[in-house]
């Protein structure tokens, strides 16, 4: 019997991702968890009525009170799916994921660093200050902390083909982790995310993985007046001010980017 790994093709990967999203949508509605399609997934729904052709992940965003409730109930996802909570052994990101452990999924830059399974990202939506400059400053601070967190939480040397750099990174990382313990950095990230009490300001944004461009703010009332949007012939939840949000993230988002500007995780997926 051959042990050769058979990788899923692009269409099959998208079908598997859609299956996770459909199951998550059902679970969220059963438990009253509000959410919206987010980032490239929301853009895909608006511009392509489904996946962006070169995209290979799914993003959703959840208001902080619902996100916290979700983090305390991983049992909602059994069986078949697993909730990966930030700070857990299998997490290297400061936001949650829902994974299907029947499908391995490996990003090239994380090969040899961590074993991954096919996932969708779940971001919290947190309150931001009303002043634009203060909000931008907070986002920039978060971006720097995220870099620090990921430098400490996994071994970058495993993906470096240069032997000298590999040795140096292997020696330096334990020192870096000692100076910037991942748990402390994650704690600071969450403190910043929840610095402004939910409902105390008019707008929300994703502070666990902030955008570096534009004013990607969500009016807080959007999560109390969610609408339906079509994605791959299925209906999912969406913030009503999606046009303003996508414009803040991408500018003129209906323009198809040039091939060299198209971003993808380039994941390889196979049966576990």
């Amino acid at each position: 019997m051959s042990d050769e790994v058979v990788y899923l093709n692009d269409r099959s990967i998208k079908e598997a991702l859609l299956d996770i999203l459909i199951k998550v949508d059902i679970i969220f509605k059963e438990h009253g968890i509000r959410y919206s399609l987010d980032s490239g997934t929301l853009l895909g729904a608006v511009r392509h009525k489904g996946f962006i052709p070169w995209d290979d992940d799914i993003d959703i965003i959840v208001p902080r009170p619902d996100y916290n409730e979700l983090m305390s109930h991983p049992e909602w996802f059994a069986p078949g799916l697993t909730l990966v909570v930030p700070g857990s052994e299998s997490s290297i990101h400061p936001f949650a994921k829902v994974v299907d452990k029947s499908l391995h999924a490996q990003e090239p830059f994380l090969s040899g660093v961590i074993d991954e399974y096919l996932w969708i990202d779940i971001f919290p939506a947190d309150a931001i200050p009303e002043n634009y400059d203060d909000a931008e400053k907070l986002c920039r601070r978060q971006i720097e902390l995220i870099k620090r967190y990921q430098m400490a939480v996994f071994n970058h040397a495993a993906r470096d083909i240069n032997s000298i750099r590999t040795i140096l990174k292997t020696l330096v990382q334990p020192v870096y982790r000692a100076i910037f313990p991942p748990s402390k950095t994650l704690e600071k990230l969450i403190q910043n995310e929840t610095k402004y009490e939910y409902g105390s300001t008019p707008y929300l944004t994703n502070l666990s993985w902030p955008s570096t461009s534009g004013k990607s703010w969500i009016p807080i009332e959007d999560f109390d007046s969610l609408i339906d949007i079509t994605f791959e012939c299925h209906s999912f939840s969406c913030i009503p001010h999606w046009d303003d949000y996508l414009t803040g993230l991408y500018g003129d988002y209906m323009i198809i980017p040039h091939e060299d500007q198209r971003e993808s995780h380039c994941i390889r997926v196979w049966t576990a």
Side-chain angles (χ1 to χ4, degrees):
M1 183 179 292
S2 174
D3 292 329
E4 182 181 355
V5 174
V6 178
Y7 296 103
L8 274 62
N9 61 29
D10 182 69
R11 185 66 251 168
S12 295
I13 293 173
K14 287 181 168 63
E15 289 172 355
L17 285 167
L18 179 62
D19 182 62
I20 298 175
L21 180 59
I22 291 169
K23 291 175 180 176
V24 166
D25 173 71
I26 293 170
I27 292 167
F28 281 17
K29 287 176 178 175
E30 284 179 350
H31 296 283
I33 301 297
R34 298 166 292 172
Y35 80 92
S36 172
L37 300 187
D38 190 31
S39 305
T41 309
L42 179 57
L43 174 57
V46 170
R47 193 170 67 193
H48 303 276
K49 306 300 181 187
F51 285 98
I52 296 173
W54 54 89
D55 200 9
D56 54 4
D57 77 339
I58 285 179
D59 302 314
I60 61 178
I61 191 165
V62 175
R64 172 58 70 172
D66 302 51
Y67 183 88
N68 286 348
E69 178 73 5
L70 186 65
M71 295 303 102
S72 65
H73 289 286
E75 75 278 3
W76 289 350
F77 295 88
L81 300 178
T82 300
L83 177 67
V84 178
V85 176
S88 62
E89 186 177 346
S90 55
S91 173
I92 61 169
H93 296 94
F95 51 84
K97 291 175 178 278
V98 174
V99 305
D100 180 349
K101 287 201 169 181
S102 71
L103 291 170
H104 285 293
Q106 194 66 60
E107 297 170 90
F109 85 101
L110 289 176
S111 180
V113 175
I114 188 171
D115 291 329
E116 298 180 282
Y117 297 92
L118 195 64
W119 75 89
I120 68 172
D121 293 326
I122 304 180
F123 302 110
D126 285 301
I128 51 172
E130 292 188 57
N131 180 275
Y132 178 80
D133 290 337
D134 290 342
E136 283 292 289
K137 186 183 297 183
L138 178 58
C139 287
R140 288 194 298 270
R141 175 59 177 158
Q142 287 294 92
I143 290 169
E144 291 306 310
L145 282 172
I146 290 166
K147 290 178 182 177
R148 179 188 298 175
Y149 178 69
Q150 293 202 306
M151 281 292 293
V153 81
F154 67 86
N155 184 8
H156 292 257
R159 61 190 173 101
D160 200 326
I161 60 173
N162 184 296
S163 59
I164 296 177
R165 285 200 302 262
T166 297
I167 293 170
L168 289 174
K169 289 180 178 180
T170 301
L171 293 172
V172 167
Q173 198 206 17
V175 177
Y176 192 92
R177 284 176 65 91
I179 297 172
F180 302 112
S183 60
K184 294 294 185 183
T185 305
L186 181 61
E187 182 180 321
K188 182 59 179 177
L189 279 164
I190 295 173
Q191 284 177 357
N192 287 347
E193 290 165 19
T194 56
K195 179 179 180 180
Y196 297 88
E197 183 180 359
Y198 189 91
S200 65
T201 68
Y203 292 100
L204 312 170
T205 196
N206 175 8
L207 288 173
S208 68
W209 202 257
S211 169
T212 56
S213 61
K215 187 179 179 181
S216 51
W217 311 152
I218 301 172
I220 191 169
E221 63 270 15
D222 271 23
F223 283 105
D224 293 319
S225 53
L226 293 163
I227 61 174
D228 291 333
I229 195 169
T230 299
F231 183 88
E232 297 293 335
C233 300
H234 294 268
S235 182
F236 298 102
S237 295
C238 171
I239 52 173
H241 289 91
W242 53 263
D243 177 64
D244 292 339
Y245 184 59
L246 288 176
T247 299
L249 283 172
Y250 304 111
D252 191 349
Y253 57 84
M254 293 304 289
I255 295 177
I256 304 294
H258 191 270
E259 287 188 15
D260 62 5
Q261 296 177 317
R262 298 175 184 178
E263 296 183 3
S264 169
H265 289 274
C266 300
I267 59 174
R268 303 178 79 181
V269 180
W270 68 98
T271 303

